[in-house]
Amino acid sequence: MISTARVPADKPVRIAFSLNDASDDTPPEDSIPLVFPELEQQLQPLPPCHDSAESMQVFKQHCQIAEEYHEVKREIALLEERKKELIAKLDQAEKEKVDAAQLVREFEALTEENRTLKLAQSQCVEQLEKLRIQYQKRQGSS
């Protein structure tokens, strides 16, 4: 008799077999229990013919393949999750790179504006000094 149990997707699935465990109360073919509930119906191992060692062997192999399939699906899910995390990190890094480039451009623009303002200030100081000298000359000549 085959018993089934629901197992979380992140837990490994182990199956035990016994060739001597044949019972007369085998369920009919249309009520096949799901050995691997997460597998699609067409991928489920079919119950073996308990009188045939070859059938039991095929069933064991099918269950091993189903277990490997389950493990691969779990790994794929983990890798997909990791992929999403890496894409998010990459997006964040690219955004920070764009932000840094924008900050560099702003810094360069402000540096140029600062240079221009300092030049204008020094020109104004010179002009003010010339005006003071002219004013003092007018005051002295009157």
Side-chain angles (χ1 to χ4, degrees), residues 9-24:
D10 60 340
K11 301 283 187 204
V13 178
R14 300 285 179 236
I15 300 176
F17 300 96
S18 171
L19 294 175
N20 299 328
D21 192 23
S23 69
D24 294 326

Side-chain angles (χ1 to χ4, degrees), residues 1-5 15-17 21 23 25-27 31-36 45-50 56 59 63:
M1 178 172 188
I2 299 172
S3 61
T4 63
I15 300 176
F17 300 96
D21 192 23
S23 69
D25 57 334
T26 305
S31 66
I32 299 170
L34 299 179
V35 178
F36 294 91
L46 297 175
C49 175
H50 295 286
M56 292 299 290
F59 180 71
C63 287

Side-chain angles (χ1 to χ4, degrees), residues 13-136:
V13 178
R14 300 285 179 236
I15 300 176
F17 300 96
S18 171
L19 294 175
N20 299 328
D21 192 23
S23 69
D24 294 326
D25 57 334
T26 305
E29 288 292 320
D30 59 344
S31 66
I32 299 170
L34 299 179
V35 178
F36 294 91
E38 67 281 347
L39 279 181
E40 300 161 19
Q41 181 65 36
Q42 70 268 17
L43 299 178
Q44 290 289 325
L46 297 175
C49 175
H50 295 286
D51 299 335
S52 167
E54 182 182 4
S55 176
M56 292 299 290
Q57 184 62 34
V58 169
F59 180 71
K60 282 177 153 181
Q61 289 173 345
H62 194 165
C63 287
Q64 288 171 342
I65 291 169
E67 187 175 334
E68 290 171 12
Y69 177 79
H70 172 71
E71 183 65 25
V72 168
K73 280 185 74 173
R74 189 178 72 76
E75 287 179 28
I76 288 172
L78 292 172
L79 291 171
E80 288 289 336
E81 187 61 34
R82 179 70 176 140
K83 176 184 168 185
K84 288 178 188 176
E85 292 170 6
L86 290 174
I87 288 173
K89 281 185 180 181
L90 180 62
D91 289 344
Q92 181 64 28
E94 287 176 356
K95 182 181 181 297
E96 289 172 1
K97 185 178 178 181
V98 168
D99 290 346
Q102 177 64 28
L103 289 173
V104 167
R105 286 191 296 274
E106 287 178 25
F107 176 78
E108 290 169 351
L110 290 172
T111 301
E112 179 60 26
E113 183 180 357
N114 188 21
R115 188 189 66 75
T116 304
L117 290 173
K118 284 182 179 180
L119 180 62
Q121 186 228 5
S122 67
Q123 289 172 348
C124 288
V125 167
E126 286 177 25
Q127 189 178 7
L128 179 62
E129 193 58 38
K130 289 178 185 177
L131 288 173
R132 279 189 185 150
I133 292 172
Q134 286 177 356
Y135 181 73
Q136 287 175 352

